[in-house]
Amino acid sequence: MTATSVLADVEALLLALRAVDTAVPDGETEVAPGDPRMIRAVDEVRMPLVDELAPDEVRRHADGEVAARFGPAGDDGLLVQTYVVSQHGNLMRDAHRPRIVDGAPLGLFGPTAVGQGANQNKGPMAAALRALATRPAGLARPVWLTFSLEGRSSHGGSRRLLDDLEVRAAAGVVCIGTDLAVSVANRGRADVVVEVAGASAHSSQPWLGRNPREGGADVITALRPLPLPAAHPDLGGVTATPFRVEAWPVAPHPLPAGARVVVDRRLLPGEDPSAAVTQVRDHLAHLLGDRAGDVAVSAGEVMLPAQVDPASPLVVALLDGLRAAGVAEPRTITSKNTFDAGWACHRGIPTALFGPGRRHFAAGVTATEAVALQDCEDAATALRHAMEALCC
């Protein structure tokens, strides 16, 4: 097969994956499990592509997740996890007009796919599909291709795949844009929910109520001196960031009856999420004094940190595959973001992050989502090499 026809196959995959919009809707912050639009994207676009690959088994969850097995049954193979929901580049221009452009103005080489999800999930998914389309013959252990419909920044999709559908493997790859580097560790996240009680009144007579917005401001101020663990040598320090502040009811000129501050507490490998929540609770109780009685602290969503040995067979196989693809100086990195590798590692599947796509394209909501076709093909070569090294 010529280089031109290979890139044409990648281009066809990317444009096919754009056929149904999978972005988080405007004005929303998440997609619920079982969302009909996401299930339609799986049924109408992704499943036909999987069926063409002739899997040996397909497992489907009621909420839309798919696990397709290639090769014999067993729990000693390779997990390749991909995502359906697009959460980055929410405000990019022409987000839902997929096109192939010259990548040079974007700092990419050659033909480049542009459109929401190109960089975050669709480029990496195209690479995974391409790798399975050219998978090595005679698999002795299974390769699992999975579609996660996770859209809440949680481990919900992974739980449905690994726990409900009982997918097992000896190693795993979460396919997401990593600059074609192999990410061997990432931080986790514990959402800490701080509820502040108040009493509603009209803002013209604030003395008749109790303003929980002021209590929320006290909470945010009190979090600034929160003691945090020592920095990790590769992942750096952790943060405790108030990222959502809400109050209710919403009406003309009221003091709200209650407020909520949600704190993003990043986690390092080895940290206990419940201990992180307890620390915030104890810290606020100490600093808020008389106002502490109005404050209730509870655990929100948790995503676990991940860490794999850079010398593991999985990481070595991916790096060797990049060399085989002609990538100069393949490398490992660590990620400060939070991903589903944490749940897989928790379930005993050492899992790295890997895929085509530039990480800085996801740095802002207006950033352009784009992925070079050649990067997708190079990633597919590395994934195929890992299948051969680990499953043949």
Side-chain angles (χ1 to χ4, degrees):
M1 183 176 291
T2 66
T4 300
S5 62
V6 165
L7 292 183
D9 286 348
V10 173
E11 178 179 341
L13 282 171
L14 281 166
L15 292 180
L17 293 173
R18 293 292 308 157
V20 176
D21 175 25
T22 58
V24 177
D26 290 345
E28 302 292 332
T29 59
E30 61 181 37
V31 173
D35 181 273
R37 189 164 53 99
M38 301 304 159
I39 292 180
R40 185 165 70 90
V42 172
D43 290 342
E44 296 182 5
V45 179
R46 286 151 181 80
M47 284 310 300
L49 295 172
V50 170
D51 291 340
E52 289 180 7
L53 300 176
D56 293 280
E57 178 190 5
V58 175
R59 301 178 187 177
R60 298 204 61 172
H61 194 281
D63 286 335
E65 272 72 19
V66 175
R69 174 173 58 84
F70 300 84
D75 58 4
D76 56 351
L78 177 65
L79 166 68
V80 180
Q81 183 163 327
T82 68
Y83 294 99
V84 174
V85 180
S86 303
Q87 296 169 300
H88 297 165
N90 311 65
L91 301 180
M92 67 174 284
R93 181 177 299 175
D94 294 329
H96 307 308
R97 184 173 67 85
R99 61 256 188 218
I100 304 297
V101 303
D102 176 15
L106 297 169
L108 300 174
F109 175 77
T112 293
V114 176
Q116 188 174 16
N119 181 78
Q120 181 195 6
N121 59 325
K122 292 184 171 67
M125 184 181 287
L129 290 165
R130 172 73 182 151
L132 280 161
T134 56
R135 63 188 180 274
L139 290 172
R141 286 173 287 280
V143 175
W144 286 97
L145 172 66
T146 66
F147 296 155
S148 170
L149 274 68
E150 173 55 44
R152 287 182 160 174
S153 297
S154 75
H155 283 319
S158 284
R159 290 190 180 100
R160 293 188 285 273
L161 288 166
L162 303 186
D163 300 351
D164 297 350
L165 296 183
E166 299 183 339
V167 173
R168 298 289 181 269
V173 180
V174 169
C175 293
I176 199 159
T178 62
D179 299 328
L180 284 181
V182 182
S183 177
V184 297
N186 62 262
R187 298 190 301 176
R189 186 193 91 247
D191 284 352
V192 185
V193 181
V194 184
E195 304 272 4
V196 183
S200 188
H202 196 273
S203 59
S204 65
Q205 301 179 80
W207 55 86
L208 298 179
R210 191 168 74 258
N211 191 349
R213 289 188 187 276
E214 294 178 354
D218 290 343
V219 166
I220 293 172
T221 300
L223 285 171
R224 290 174 180 164
L226 177 70
L228 296 171
H232 186 278
D234 298 315
L235 292 168
V238 300
T239 51
T241 306
F243 72 99
R244 185 178 299 162
V245 181
E246 305 162 325
W248 59 88
V250 177
H253 287 275
L255 294 187
R260 179 183 299 115
V261 179
V262 185
V263 181
D264 176 335
R265 168 61 160 84
R266 293 286 143 164
L267 301 169
L268 295 175
E271 276 199 276
D272 179 357
S274 61
V277 175
T278 298
Q279 184 204 22
V280 171
R281 181 184 294 113
D282 293 346
H283 176 79
L284 291 178
H286 175 68
L287 288 193
L288 292 179
D290 293 342
R291 301 268 342 222
D294 290 339
V295 173
V297 178
S298 61
E301 196 60 61
V302 171
M303 295 188 74
L304 298 172
Q307 190 166 25
V308 297
D309 185 353
S312 67
L314 168 69
V315 176
V316 170
L318 289 171
L319 294 175
D320 286 346
L322 287 169
R323 293 187 187 94
V327 175
E329 300 181 3
R331 61 197 176 95
T332 61
I333 60 171
T334 60
S335 302
K336 290 182 170 56
N337 314 69
T338 299
F339 296 98
D340 278 299
W343 190 255
C345 287
H346 171 69
R347 299 294 287 148
I349 305 173
T351 299
L353 311 173
F354 173 71
R358 300 295 187 252
R359 296 198 299 166
H360 70 270
F361 284 156
V365 295
T366 60
T368 297
E369 284 267 304
V371 64
L373 303 191
Q374 186 61 58
D375 284 354
C376 292
E377 178 58 27
D378 291 344
T381 299
L383 289 169
R384 186 168 58 248
H385 188 89
M387 295 174 193
E388 184 171 8
L390 302 176
C391 299
C392 287

